[in-house]
Amino acid sequence: MRETRIHLAIASVAAAFLLAIALAAFNLIEQQRNSALANSQQQASRFVMGAVAAINRTLLDIDVLLASLDETEDLSNLHLDEMNWVAANKTLITIDQRNLRLHRLTLLDTQSHVLASSDPAGVAPLILSAGFVERTLGLPIATLTLSEPALDASSAQQVIYMARHLKLTDGSKILAVAEMTLADINSIMVQGADISGLEVSLERGSGQLLASIPAQDNLLGKPLATPLGQGTQGAQRLNARLSGLPAVVAAQPILYDNALIAASIPIHAALEKWQQDRNFILLTAGLFAAMVLIASGFTSWYLSRLAQARSAIKQSKAEIEHLAFFDHLTDLPNRLLLMDRLGHALVTNVRHQRYGALLFLDLDNFKNLNDTQGHDVGDLLLKQIATRLQASVRMQDTVARLGGDEFVILLEDISANPIEAAEAARRVGQKLLMALDQPYTFNGKTHKSSVSMGAALYGVEPMMPAELLKQADIAMYQAKARGRNTLCFFDPQMQASITAHAELESDLHTAIAEQQFILYYQPQVTQTGAVLGAEVLIRWQHSTRGMVPPFEFIPVAEESELINQIGQWVLQTACQQLRIWQQIPATAHLQLAVNVSARQFRQTDFVSQVQQVIDTTGVAPHGLKLELTESLVLTNVDDTIAKMSALKGLGVRFSMDDFGTGQSSLSYLTRLPLDQLKIDQSFVRNIGIKSTDGVIVQTIIGMARNLGLEVIAEGVETTAQQTYLAEHGCTLYQGYLLGKPTPLAEFESLLARSINSA
């Protein structure tokens, strides 16, 4: 009975949803339809305004042109028999040739006889409608009139004549007529508009059709149904002027001769996009309705299944508890149960002033096993590890799996003495390491694995479970740092170091925001002592710590995204200074070397960042030299070459920093668009001390020479080192012997002395 009521309730809710969907779809469709019609009305109105403006401009130009013939031919001072019609023909030809839209210009007498014409082939008759000449000549004030459409005999095109009368000195009149094709008039009205189904008509207020788009030759000169009249403005729901279909019609009069332009958009064309939207809305509504039906059906089915499950659950609240608190793969306690037991142990040990320990284990290189042999093999290994862990501890101890390849062992109530407790935990840890270091066999194969283990004591002082787990986790990472397969205890000094690390990262955010960084410049000189440039080295002027050297904050910045912002600041600042030097003849030759971190270089938009700096600073890019390390270059070589080549195309130079310390391949080296190799200071320092380092230096110099690259040595601190380098072909140097990294002012003083001595 209860289930029946539930199913009825679900059906009622589903019906309500279906009704809501139907109403929403209907309202939306109606709104979309009204919006489509309103848009079409706006389109028609905008089009008519533009078409009227274009036609008015054209007709006004023609009106002015025809009126100007009075002055051009000096008509107001001449009699008809005094006119030089040969000269008039030439004038009309010239004017016609200058006005591409005009088809012909003609002067007529009151009897419609041609007096002069721009028709170069001779005088061709004008097909003027009855009464057009008389109407135009009879106007009290000269103004432009439009004829009915006519077929021009010379071109076989439909044309319209535009005329106005001109007075001679005796008061008699002649008629100036300009001829335009309907094709030209139509192109002026349409102005390239692309409106689906659009019909355009140029008509008189009486409804007489003068021009249309699309062309309707059978209707030209005839009255259209229901004249619009000159008072028609805006858009209305009427029949289309040409096709007669229900349409949105907008009309507006032009300046001349009781004519207007009407734009008609048939309703079916106006609603074409709406019909697509309507179909989409109906489809979407149908899908939603189907989803509601499916959901209601599924809910009914689910509730039925749930009712069945309830009865099954009653026969099993222990199996469910096991699933909630134990790992499904290893059957060990999971994180939830571990944290519960850990919280209880912490409270108990504080109460009884006893010590315990928490061991945090993480498998070494477990990901490699999963990647190479599959997750099934990884699961087999985890199961065997769980078995060995349980066999190596006491019954009262808890072995738990946190997830992935992480395990935790809770050793409770070890001793009242912290030293004894730590020693006991160490012995258990060593026992576990030995047990887990033994070979594993599964699927007929033998596998070796090891773990890194961290340990943290707890006892007489209150502590939160999460804090103890964090301490053991930190100790585990210290074990990995020491080479893995070992045990490390949590050291408070380690925690202090981590805290200091976090504080330093926070201070770096402030330093970036407040621009607390400054650049030092270490000169790079030639064998003669001339300064050819410098390497820029960043320094941090901390508000309380004072000057912070790079080796303290650069690693922290590289672990986060902060190195990208710092690197961008260094590049921007260096280019600004380089631009200043380039404007001075004595320093225009200087180069600045800027170190680029791997994280900064691997940004997808690194090339565009450098391009933007070059553009904003206006620096000549040949003075900029980017220093890349071997390890950076050999990580994703194709990406490296693509970015270097793009920047090389801008004029930027490249130097490989610390050359000789990495594992660079000569084949890669020949593909890289490098300009310079930089001998690492570790080799320079041992010149004269280790013969092998001297051989390496000579090899690098020879390699650079063979590849056509510059070579510069860093860390040059003695005259003997410089002499050795010079004797073997290295003539560019950087080091304390030649100048320490200094602020800009000191570097420029050194630079001035170098220039003066030269």
Side-chain angles (χ1 to χ4, degrees), residues 717-735:
E717 298 181 353
T718 67
T719 304
Q721 292 170 348
Q722 183 181 13
T723 301
Y724 182 92
L725 291 165
E727 289 175 350
H728 291 89
C730 178
T731 58
L732 303 178
Y733 320 101
Q734 177 182 338

Side-chain angles (χ1 to χ4, degrees), residues 89 121 173 262 281 337 351 379 425 458 579 663-664 690:
N89 283 336
K173 300 177 182 178
I281 292 171
L337 182 55
R351 182 183 301 125
D379 289 346
Y458 66 93
R579 170 60 176 160
Q663 303 293 326
S664 60
K690 291 177 62 177

Side-chain angles (χ1 to χ4, degrees), residues 524-553:
Q524 295 180 338
V525 303
T526 66
Q527 188 175 6
T528 62
V531 177
L532 60 87
E535 178 180 359
V536 292
L537 302 167
I538 191 170
R539 299 291 186 266
W540 179 11
Q541 186 63 52
H542 195 280
S543 56
T544 58
R545 304 183 188 208
M547 190 68 74
V548 183
F551 67 83
E552 289 190 15
F553 68 86

Side-chain angles (χ1 to χ4, degrees), residues 327 334-335 362 382 400-407:
D327 176 58
N334 59 17
R335 177 186 287 269
D362 184 90
L382 293 174
R401 182 188 178 206
L402 288 188
D405 59 342
E406 295 178 337
F407 295 86

Side-chain angles (χ1 to χ4, degrees), residues 8 57 99 165 191 231 289 293 346 363 382 443 461 586 716 727:
L8 286 175
R57 284 194 300 269
N99 293 270
H165 68 250
Q191 307 173 79
L293 292 174
L346 288 170
L363 273 65
L382 293 174
N443 294 340
E461 297 294 333
V716 180
E727 289 175 350

Side-chain angles (χ1 to χ4, degrees), residues 495-511:
Q495 180 64 52
S497 175
I498 293 173
T499 302
H501 184 285
E503 291 176 352
L504 188 62
E505 183 174 340
S506 177
D507 287 351
L508 276 174
H509 282 280
T510 303

Side-chain angles (χ1 to χ4, degrees), residues 584-638:
I584 304 171
T587 58
H589 67 284
L590 292 179
Q591 299 176 7
L592 277 184
V594 178
N595 291 286
V596 178
S597 71
R599 186 184 289 270
Q600 181 185 7
F601 186 80
R602 290 303 170 207
Q603 295 177 100
T604 56
D605 62 342
F606 177 71
V607 174
S608 62
Q609 289 182 21
V610 177
Q611 172 75 70
Q612 184 178 10
V613 170
I614 292 173
D615 293 341
T616 55
T617 60
V619 69
H622 67 268
L624 175 62
K625 181 168 58 180
L626 300 182
E627 292 197 357
L628 310 177
T629 62
E630 284 188 76
S631 58
L632 183 158
V633 166
L634 294 182
T635 303
N636 194 344
V637 176
D638 292 335

Side-chain angles (χ1 to χ4, degrees), residues 26 209 225 248 291 371 455 480 509 566:
F26 175 79
L209 183 65
V248 173
M291 290 171 61
D371 292 344
K480 283 190 178 294
H509 282 280
I566 294 173

